[in-house]
Amino acid sequence: MERLNLRQLEIFSAVVDAGSFTAAAEKLYLAQSTVSDNVRALEELLHLKLFHRESKRRLTLTLEGKRVYRYAQDILGRCSALLLDVAVDSALELTLGASTVPAQSLLPGYMARFARENPACRCTLLCGDSAAVQQMLLNGDIHLGFVGSADDRQDLIYEPIAEDRLVLITPNTPRFAALKTQGVLGRELFREPFLFRERGSGTQKVIDNYLSEIRLDPQVIHTVAYVSDPTVLQRLVAEGTGVSILSALAVQETVAAGQLLQFELDETPVRRSIYMARRRKSSMSSPARTFAELVREQSRASVRLYHFTTERRQTAMDQNRELRLTQMTSAAG
């Protein structure tokens, strides 16, 4: 069965408002034949005569035509209200997704600044591991995603927005403090009891790649537990349950507070990027574009700071290495 469509109602209403097919066609930028065909199709669908056509100069509605016009006005008005309501509401909404490290270390600062500069907008932040956030993007559940790893997904665009590195963390005990003073690297502590992040996290993917690069079989590591929450994991390490590898961004406050010690994993720091991701074939809303530009602006500043601190850190590591070599030479002599 043929169905009524909004276009027919729009053209019919325009004819009524304009008073003629010719005037309606000019207003709608349509051919007069198109206007006539749509009105005729509406009459055939409803099995009604909508206009008295005795006068060529001005159309008048039949009784049935007046009823249809009232319905058309109500339907078209409701549709306009729906579109306006959804458009206005969407223009004020921004939904973000983030994996654990960017959610805890980066998004609070981004969102606070965005809220100050765009007080009319409302932000929603959904959290999960990197795999879950990327799936949210593919499903269209979020506008922008922030993850610690970039998968080979053709439907997503990844943009690096922050530099991070992985470090080994230990309890702040005299034994580990002495090892840190000696310049011991994290890879030299793999015989300790270990706690790892959960599978699917961006951090764990980088850890797995690193273990593969140094040809260390994960099976030889004494794994005590897998923990999804890095805050809980840090607490377990601080309590002496074992050691772990985490993002330097994630542990910076705990280390600064003296609850944990951190060791560089290797002579060359194990670095990774934090990414802002979005769907390739989806246009960004105005709030999403504004938020993305804010992130890029802060990213440029943080990258400059990161490179400065990295150079200082590398100098300190080189000095520790030279000190260890001197100590080993003295002991051998």
Side-chain angles (χ1 to χ4, degrees), residues 139-287:
N139 294 342
D141 297 329
I142 58 177
H143 296 103
L144 294 169
F146 297 85
V147 293
S149 64
D151 288 353
D152 185 19
R153 294 176 184 260
Q154 296 300 315
D155 294 331
L156 298 180
I157 298 173
Y158 296 91
E159 185 176 344
I161 50 101
E163 295 285 347
D164 191 16
R165 71 187 197 286
L166 297 188
V167 294
L168 185 136
I169 57 172
T170 71
N172 190 357
T173 63
R175 182 170 77 88
F176 286 114
L179 292 175
K180 184 171 179 62
T181 301
Q182 297 169 20
V184 169
L185 295 170
R187 65 179 293 174
E188 300 175 57
L189 301 175
F190 282 155
R191 294 187 180 276
E192 300 288 334
F194 243 90
L195 297 96
F196 282 111
R197 286 290 307 278
E198 83 283 8
R199 303 295 178 186
S201 77
T203 299
Q204 191 57 45
K205 289 181 180 180
V206 179
I207 293 172
D208 291 340
N209 290 337
Y210 172 69
L211 295 179
S212 176
E213 288 176 5
I214 65 173
R215 298 182 180 179
L216 178 63
D217 185 354
Q219 298 298 322
V220 306
I221 299 177
H222 176 205
T223 302
V224 178
Y226 290 95
V227 182
S228 61
D229 189 330
T231 302
V232 175
L233 194 153
Q234 291 176 66
R235 178 67 181 273
L236 288 170
V237 172
E239 293 290 337
T241 310
V243 302
S244 186
I245 299 174
L246 281 179
S247 154
L249 286 174
V251 303
Q252 57 188 356
E253 292 184 4
T254 317
V255 170
Q259 299 173 27
L260 297 172
L261 297 174
Q262 73 176 36
F263 293 75
E264 294 295 336
L265 273 177
D266 220 316
E267 292 182 353
T268 301
V270 180
R271 297 188 176 92
R272 68 158 180 182
S273 293
I274 303 295
Y275 299 92
M276 177 169 61
R278 59 185 174 87
R279 283 193 296 171
R280 184 178 298 276
K281 296 182 180 179
S282 177
S283 59
M284 288 201 296
S285 65
S286 178

Side-chain angles (χ1 to χ4, degrees), residues 7-157:
R7 188 58 173 161
Q8 291 172 346
L9 294 179
E10 288 174 341
I11 291 177
F12 166 66
S13 294
V15 172
V16 175
D17 295 339
S20 71
F21 286 87
T22 302
E26 292 176 356
K27 181 178 180 180
L28 296 173
Y29 299 100
L30 295 174
Q32 184 171 334
S33 59
T34 301
V35 173
S36 299
D37 289 344
N38 274 273
V39 172
R40 187 179 302 109
L42 181 61
E43 289 181 319
E44 292 175 357
L45 179 64
L46 297 176
H47 303 289
L48 296 173
K49 184 179 179 180
L50 301 176
F51 292 103
H52 295 294
R53 291 179 169 82
E54 291 81 5
S55 173
K56 295 183 178 180
R57 300 183 65 179
R58 186 165 182 86
L59 295 172
T60 58
L61 286 169
T62 63
L63 183 62
E64 292 83 1
K66 292 178 180 179
R67 290 178 58 199
V68 172
Y69 180 69
R70 287 195 296 270
Y71 274 110
Q73 291 295 96
D74 181 60
I75 291 170
L76 295 173
R78 288 174 180 270
C79 288
S80 296
L82 172 62
L83 291 173
L84 180 61
D85 182 62
V86 170
V88 170
D89 193 55
S90 297
L92 297 175
E93 293 286 348
L94 175 62
T95 305
L96 308 170
S99 60
T100 307
V101 171
Q104 294 182 351
S105 305
L106 299 175
L107 267 298
Y110 296 156
M111 293 176 67
R113 178 178 168 186
F114 181 80
R116 288 194 302 270
E117 297 177 0
N118 303 272
C121 290
R122 297 184 295 270
C123 265
T124 299
L125 175 61
L126 305 178
C127 299
D129 60 31
S130 291
V133 172
Q134 289 168 109
Q135 192 58 50
M136 289 181 205
L137 276 171
L138 294 173
N139 294 342
D141 297 329
I142 58 177
H143 296 103
L144 294 169
F146 297 85
V147 293
S149 64
D151 288 353
D152 185 19
R153 294 176 184 260
Q154 296 300 315
D155 294 331
L156 298 180
I157 298 173

